Amino acid sequence: MKANRIYKNSGFTIVEMMISLVLGALLLGGIISLFTNNQQTYRIIQGTANLQDNARFAIDVISEDIRMSGYYGCLSNSAAPVYNPSLLNTGSNIDFLFQNLSLGLEAFEATNVTTWQPALPALLTVDLPALNRPPPQGGTDVVAIKRVISNGVTLNSLNDPTKTMQVEGTGSFAQNDAAIISDCEKATLFQVTAANDSGTNQNIEYKTTGATPGNINAPISTGASYVASSSSVYQFASAVYYIAPAWDTTNNQAVTNNRGDQVLSLWRIQGINTAGQPVPEELLRGVENLQVVYGVDSNPAPPNEGDNTIDQYLNANQVDAIANGFERVITARIDLTVNSIDSIGTQNDGVLRRTFSHTVKLRNRGS
């Protein structure tokens, strides 16, 4: 007869259970900490990569305009170019976009958080708020560029009494376009009030009506008129770069980040619309500062011209204090501070930011 064996039920003691829970908690905490740190590292790496991409885009856009500022085709090579009075009948704050063609580049230094030298034009301080768009951010610089943006088309014929001309090629111009006509010695800015293709050519009108703001009723040249085959017509562009709050156009209010802090953007005014108003466009969010210094030829040789070499780097207000200062600018050094918009770090406001610098030479200045 077999003896019955009695087996005791075995299990974890309370002490063993507590030790297991503690070890499990420690292991789980380590995994969570590792995951959190990896996630934070990823956000920082991704944010840094976005900073670099955004900075590259912004600097490329501004640099291209500054490099070509004051470029007016063959007129740029003239020793004594003549800029006839503009025919555009503006008579308002948008005059700023179409005047001082010989400068090509104008700039405004933020001397403090409320003041610029030279003073900002009313286009920026009055017209923008009237359009429910933010004006430039205090403490940041403003740069304005004027130039042509096409290779130009040859003038076939010009009839100034009827305010009409014909150019080679089709589709080069449209109603409301700003354009420049030049014969390499002089140039006149006007607005296209009508344009239509005719065979392989285009007929252009520059009358007082038909576009906004239109033209004044004046001859296209104050001297000898433009001669066919020896003159060209170009598309004209003016751009103003500045920093301002990012804007929600649907609700007409400033944009904030994940901490509720104001977001700043790089803005550009690119000409005017068909109503004759400036066209502000938000180019890139997360750009919080724009500072530019200018390489200037400030050592003139007799009688009035410089030697086309950089003597010093100056802020915009210092350039403006020199006679014909902006005409002496040869290079511009752009310092652009870009941020990650949202808070992703642990220090201060948690926003990543970096300042990028780039120097660009004006194509038509210096040796």
Side-chain angles (χ1 to χ4, degrees):
M1 180 176 178
K2 290 183 178 180
N4 292 327
R5 294 181 179 180
I6 299 174
Y7 295 92
K8 293 182 179 181
N9 292 329
S10 61
F12 293 106
T13 66
I14 293 177
V15 173
E16 290 172 332
M17 182 67 72
M18 292 179 63
I19 292 174
S20 299
L21 289 175
V22 170
L23 292 176
L26 290 174
L27 180 61
L28 182 61
I31 293 173
I32 293 174
S33 177
L34 180 63
F35 175 77
T36 302
N37 289 337
N38 285 343
Q39 190 177 45
Q40 178 69 7
T41 300
Y42 171 79
R43 286 199 298 263
I44 292 174
I45 292 174
Q46 188 65 40
T48 302
N50 290 338
L51 286 183
Q52 294 173 336
D53 288 342
N54 290 343
R56 186 179 299 112
F57 167 77
I59 287 178
D60 283 350
V61 171
I62 299 175
S63 296
E64 174 64 16
D65 263 342
I66 291 180
R67 181 179 296 110
M68 299 299 292
S69 62
Y71 175 66
Y72 299 115
C74 60
L75 185 73
S76 305
N77 300 322
S78 174
V82 175
Y83 298 92
N84 289 318
S86 169
L87 293 187
L88 268 80
N89 187 27
T90 55
S92 64
N93 296 336
I94 64 170
D95 276 344
F96 171 72
L97 297 175
F98 305 104
Q99 293 178 338
N100 299 324
L101 300 185
S102 62
L103 298 183
L105 181 147
E106 293 179 85
F108 306 85
E109 175 71 19
T111 54
N112 56 51
V113 295
T114 58
T115 306
W116 285 262
Q117 291 183 3
L120 290 181
L123 175 80
L124 300 174
T125 59
V126 176
D127 288 7
L128 291 182
L131 294 171
N132 288 323
R133 294 296 181 271
Q137 180 76 6
T140 63
D141 290 353
V142 177
V143 183
I145 293 118
K146 301 176 178 84
R147 67 183 183 101
V148 298
I149 56 173
S150 67
N151 293 326
V153 291
T154 302
L155 178 70
N156 285 342
S157 63
L158 175 67
N159 188 333
D160 201 32
T162 62
K163 308 298 182 188
T164 60
M165 66 177 72
Q166 186 184 83
V167 298
E168 288 185 0
T170 59
S172 298
F173 298 92
Q175 186 181 27
N176 279 297
D177 281 352
I180 278 184
I181 183 171
S182 170
D183 60 5
C184 302
E185 294 182 354
K186 61 182 181 296
T188 305
L189 177 65
F190 64 93
Q191 188 174 35
V192 176
T193 56
N196 60 83
D197 295 338
S198 176
T200 59
N201 301 311
Q202 188 174 42
N203 298 315
I204 296 174
E205 296 181 0
Y206 55 99
K207 298 183 178 181
T208 57
T209 59
T212 304
N215 301 288
I216 60 175
N217 186 20
I220 201 166
S221 174
T222 56
S225 188
Y226 295 95
V227 178
S229 300
S230 298
S231 304
S232 297
V233 185
Y234 306 84
Q235 287 183 310
F236 173 81
S238 57
V240 183
Y241 291 94
Y242 60 99
I243 305 298
W247 202 252
D248 178 354
T249 56
T250 301
N251 299 308
N252 278 326
Q253 63 184 21
V255 174
T256 57
N257 67 2
N258 59 355
R259 282 171 47 100
D261 297 331
Q262 178 178 255
V263 176
L264 295 175
S265 296
L266 175 65
W267 288 75
R268 176 176 66 185
I269 292 177
Q270 187 83 40
I272 58 175
N273 59 21
T274 55
Q277 299 170 322
V279 184
E281 54 181 340
E282 190 176 354
L283 290 181
L284 185 66
R285 289 184 179 177
V287 183
E288 65 180 52
N289 200 357
L290 171 65
Q291 299 292 326
V292 187
V293 293
Y294 303 90
V296 177
D297 173 13
S298 57
N299 184 22
N304 296 312
E305 297 181 357
D307 54 11
N308 288 326
T309 60
I310 299 172
D311 296 307
Q312 55 186 326
Y313 276 87
L314 302 173
N315 293 325
N317 58 320
Q318 296 170 316
V319 176
D320 186 60
I322 300 174
N324 303 316
F326 285 108
E327 295 181 40
R328 297 180 177 276
V329 173
I330 297 175
T331 62
R333 190 184 72 214
I334 306 164
D335 292 329
L336 204 66
T337 302
V338 184
N339 64 45
S340 60
I341 301 178
D342 285 330
S343 174
I344 59 177
T346 58
Q347 295 182 346
N348 300 324
D349 60 1
V351 175
L352 297 181
R353 50 176 54 82
R354 282 187 61 187
T355 298
F356 298 82
S357 295
H358 180 69
T359 300
V360 56
K361 181 184 180 299
L362 277 64
R363 181 176 178 180
N364 308 295
R365 307 277 181 87
S367 54

